[in-house]
Amino acid sequence: MKKVGELIGLPSSQTGFETRGSVQGWKQTFLEDHLKTLAEQGEWDFFKTTLALLLYGLVLFPFTLGVVDQAAMDVFFFYETQGTNPVMAILADTLMSMEVCHKKQRVIEVLQSFALCMVCNPFVCIRSFGSLVTSLPDFSRIEIPEKTAQQWKNDFARYQGQHFPWVCPWYDHRDTIFSCGDFPNVPLMGSRGCIAYTPVIALRQLKWTQFVPDKELLGGVCFQYGTNNEQHERVRKAWEHIHKKGERELGRARAYASAEYLEWRNERRGDAIPVPMEVQHEDPSRALTDMLPKWR
């Protein structure tokens, strides 16, 4: 807490956390006031760091509305002081949120904005990447057409699976981490817990041939910190021994799925996907706000 306060230029007398239920952190309004003070004083280095902290707490690692909590600060601190890449934590938190939503039958309602971005962005942008010198830095140059909800609905009604790319245009094919330590898959460490990621069911997205995975490779760890300290330590040590696979193990790279896999996926999807409920057309952000207290 004190060390994060030093990073953002916060006086030591103001570094105390506020508590909301079981969550400790700084309120969004408190950090915004600090931003205004820094701007008035011309302390732009501290200003940029404080703004980054707000983005970490409210966008990348949100948990309690209007609060930048301790978990988000921990990820932010390790990035600022040690250069620790936050991507794994973002992916882990995303997967854990989807797991919670799935268990509570809230996939359609809570993740509608996330799903829209996942579906629309690749389809709209795939045709522009060939003209970009550097795909990711130039991403903001891609023009997204303005359409009404009904126009988007009509467009998607005409599209089939072959219209959507399986592989990100900027993906650089290389050997892939398939497991860590004695885990059969990849245990991801997030800001609040750990969850298993199974590359063997995402081979086509990684430009490999997708086949039916062995049952023992599915599933894996999923727990929050403080509930299983022994398992947490096991996950941490597992990352000291990563195991990769490439062309030698998987053959020539090509984004392809076997007929056996497609049949297996259809059977598995019927058992795994909740029955969609009737969804009212409303402001997605408001729906998310209303839903958060119910699934936490």
Side-chain angles (χ1 to χ4, degrees):
M1 175 177 61
K2 182 178 180 180
K3 292 181 178 179
V4 176
E6 292 174 354
L7 286 176
I8 64 174
L10 194 65
S12 58
S13 59
Q14 301 180 22
T15 56
F17 277 172
E18 296 191 31
T19 301
R20 183 180 297 182
S22 61
V23 177
Q24 290 187 328
W26 287 320
K27 288 185 178 180
Q28 175 183 349
T29 52
F30 171 75
L31 291 174
E32 288 174 345
D33 289 341
H34 182 54
L35 274 178
K36 295 177 182 178
T37 300
L38 293 173
E40 293 171 355
Q41 297 174 349
E43 296 285 355
W44 299 114
D45 287 339
F46 285 138
F47 180 94
K48 290 186 291 186
T49 307
T50 305
L51 179 59
L53 176 61
L54 274 166
L55 292 176
Y56 266 69
L58 303 178
V59 180
L60 298 181
F61 302 98
F63 188 72
T64 300
L65 294 179
V67 175
V68 178
D69 69 1
Q70 180 69 66
M73 291 185 196
D74 288 342
V75 181
F76 173 78
F77 178 79
F78 281 107
Y79 173 75
E80 286 291 322
T81 59
Q82 301 180 23
T84 304
N85 192 328
V87 171
M88 181 171 68
I90 295 173
L91 177 59
D93 281 15
T94 301
L95 293 179
M96 292 192 74
S97 296
M98 294 177 71
E99 175 73 7
V100 171
C101 293
H102 175 75
K103 288 182 177 179
K104 294 187 175 292
Q105 305 285 298
R106 298 293 186 182
V107 176
I108 301 299
E109 294 178 80
V110 177
L111 294 180
Q112 54 185 324
S113 298
F114 175 77
L116 181 63
C117 292
M118 292 293 290
V119 171
C120 293
N121 283 346
F123 180 75
V124 172
C125 302
I126 185 67
R127 291 166 288 186
S128 303
F129 276 103
S131 61
L132 301 180
V133 178
T134 52
S135 300
L136 290 180
D138 291 341
F139 190 85
S140 59
R141 292 173 43 198
I142 299 176
E143 295 185 4
I144 306 298
E146 293 185 5
K147 297 183 180 182
T148 64
Q150 186 60 47
Q151 288 174 325
W152 280 113
K153 182 178 179 180
N154 293 339
D155 284 348
F156 283 116
R158 296 193 296 268
Y159 299 141
Q160 303 296 323
Q162 62 268 23
H163 292 105
F164 296 86
W166 276 100
V167 181
C168 292
W170 61 82
Y171 176 66
D172 182 18
H173 168 68
R174 63 185 68 185
D175 289 354
T176 304
I177 297 176
F178 264 65
S179 61
C180 298
D182 59 353
F183 288 96
N185 41 34
V186 181
L188 299 175
M189 301 177 67
S191 64
R192 296 175 178 84
C194 298
I195 188 169
Y197 162 63
T198 307
V200 75
I201 59 175
L203 291 176
R204 181 161 42 171
Q205 291 93 317
L206 300 172
K207 294 187 178 180
W208 302 110
T209 298
Q210 182 66 67
F211 52 82
V212 178
D214 295 332
K215 290 184 178 180
E216 58 267 21
L217 298 179
L218 303 178
V221 298
C222 182
F223 61 89
Q224 293 186 343
Y225 298 139
T227 61
N228 197 330
N229 294 329
E230 182 178 341
Q231 192 79 311
H232 181 197
E233 182 64 17
R234 181 186 169 208
V235 170
R236 189 187 65 80
K237 290 183 177 180
W239 274 93
E240 298 175 1
H241 306 280
I242 62 175
H243 311 293
K244 296 183 178 182
K245 291 185 179 181
E247 290 188 0
R248 185 175 62 181
E249 297 84 3
L250 302 172
R252 183 171 61 88
R254 56 173 181 164
Y256 169 78
S258 67
E260 294 79 9
Y261 167 77
L262 295 176
E263 181 180 356
W264 172 85
R265 186 192 65 180
N266 288 335
E267 294 177 355
R268 176 180 170 85
R269 182 170 56 186
D271 296 332
I273 296 182
V275 177
M277 297 177 289
E278 185 68 24
V279 178
Q280 300 295 325
H281 296 285
E282 58 182 351
D283 181 5
S285 61
R286 181 176 180 181
L288 177 60
T289 301
D290 295 339
M291 208 59 64
L292 282 173
K294 298 179 182 179
W295 61 268
R296 280 186 181 149

